[in-house]
Amino acid sequence: MYALFEEAGKFQAGRVLAEADASSQIELETGKRVKVKAANILLKFDKPQPAELIAGAQGLAQGIELDLAWEFAPDEEFGFADLAREYFSDKASLEQQAATLFRLFEAPHYFRRAGKGRFRKAPAEIVQQALAAIEKKKQVQQQIAAWAAELGAGSCPPPIREQLFRILFKPDKNSPEYKAVVEASRTTRTPPLALLQGAGAIDSAYQFHWKRFLFDHFPKGTGFPPLAAPAIGGDLPVADVAAFSIDDSSTTEIDDALSVQGLGTGTVTVGIHIAAPGLALQPGSPIDHVARQRLSTVYMPGHKITMLPDEVVQAYTLQEGRDCPAVSLYVDFDEATLVMRDSATRVERVPIVANLRHDQLDAHVSQAWLEGGAAPADVPAPAARLREPLSFLWRLARQLKSARELVRGKPESFSRPDYNFRLVGHDGGEPTGGEQVEITVRRRGAPLDLIVAEAMILANSTWGQLLADLGVPGIYRSQASLAPGVKVRMGTKAAPHAGIGVKCYAWSTSPLRRYTDLVNQWQIIAAARHGRTAALAAPFKPKDAELFSIISSFDAAATAYNGYQAGMERFWTLQYVRQKKLQDLVGTVFREGLVRADDLPLVLPAMGAEGLPRGTQVRVRLGAIDDITLEVTGTVLERLDTAAAGLSAEDDSAEEEEPVAGPIAIAVDVNEAGEPDNGADNPPS
């Protein structure tokens, strides 16, 4: 005797070997023996063979009309054999009974399961809803197939183009647009990104990178709500100084300026003046909410997304010709020995006499000129008038740098230059990606660059120590040592920064561009105004959870923004290579198989560089450029030297974080199995 039974939602049949009241032992066609509960056995029969019965019943089941079967079914609970006798005849065969069982089981929208082999017909309204859903799903499947066919034929349907970035990076894997891309990719055996490129979904490589960044970090756009810059209340004293800033011409958020007093008196007072939005903007205000959401200005060649609205920036920027609100650090130095004697912090208005620009002055303001050499005839007048203050600041900057290097235990390395990108004829709006690009070198450690850098380090370290002495929490950057793998961390307590060579370091000099600096400025203003009671008056108290939240958010934003800036600098570097029709370049091996160009901000893998010593100079033939992945490869043509150029471990550590292009990580998985349909498992295609 044979038995048909249900086990874990599947129907099986086999020969009954032994039978008891509660269970039976059944041998399947494969020879496997299973113990089956009596309640799970639905049919017993002597013939035909089990496999023959199941095959015949499955074929017959597809011919059963569900609408008609539903009409024949009683309103109360019933068994499958009962319905078989209503549907076929009162003498329904074994095969017809099994076919009815299979058909009822696979139609839960018509018949609800009420037990093993038992069913109850669904209410009419539920059936109609289910049928409508099935029809809708059928139409969606047809739409998916149509879109997939279009993609395979090289054309991108508008709905997929509109959802491009969501499909690639944050997909709803049940959406028809996503499924169409997966189906087309499987059918054409083409990677999803290449498929979409070939179908014209990506019109512009630049727009692809730009819109992807906006999708991830500015989904509501880069515009600002209507916000007015609050006026700074109270009468601030006007400082008796003539301050000047040093920035690039593209800088509109002028955060810092310098002044020098007392030259020739034996004691020189250097003023470091920082724009003071913190005097007007308060934590929790509408503008603060905007700044905290953005956390930093985003920079990229030819464009930027500011942390604050332009009208707010212009209200507090250190603009030439104005008396600007500022938080000022005054440091007294012995004019001969440059020993620091005293420091003081003041909240005041500072007269700004000049906004000097690196790109206009770096070629003229040389070390020789600052050290008393003959003045070149072409030194711009604003710099010429400030020669004496600049000369003292240059002398001081070198002294401060030397003192830090003693703490660091080794000199700072400026072996790699900084590069400036300029889009020719561009007005600062959103680029198109087709502009001509100029790349120039800005030498790190150039006089004006060093003057500003050392002044900001002095301010950040001095103010960080001031907050620590008064018990006022701040946001600090620290590095325990220069050992490989020891990274810079952010925290709320003062700690040494081995990389810079200072006891503590609190970012405080860019409050118009970095939210951490704005937070620290609020704390510094409290310290300047309240002294020993500053901890009670400061907006953020010791162990304030808000500070830790700000640090976490800023770290994440800075990582994303810096990554995008590096990616767009690489994009424009590759455009420069293409525009200049460069075929070869000279570079230096700095890691296994990787070469860094000597005259461009470009790192690339080069065939033939494997096994060459670090520091080896080579000539590389460039391969094809991919503007989407930002990949370019090279082949070593010749080795230009035989001795390693002596890259330092510090250089190597820094370059470990230098961006090297690679495949773009997308969230489209063409290997995922399709979702089950009507309760049956669909095998992966």
Side-chain angles (χ1 to χ4, degrees), residues 227-232 280-281 287 311-313 315-316:
L227 293 169
I232 294 176
L281 310 183
I287 296 180
E311 52 270 27
V312 175
V313 170
Y316 309 121

Side-chain angles (χ1 to χ4, degrees), residues 172-192:
D172 171 3
K173 296 190 176 183
N174 289 320
S175 71
E177 293 86 358
Y178 175 86
K179 291 182 176 181
V181 172
V182 170
E183 183 174 326
S185 184
R186 288 173 174 170
T187 302
T188 62
R189 299 184 181 275
T190 305

Side-chain angles (χ1 to χ4, degrees), residues 490-507:
M490 299 181 73
T492 61
K493 294 183 178 180
H497 195 306
I500 298 177
V502 293
K503 290 182 180 179
C504 62
Y505 191 78
W507 262 346

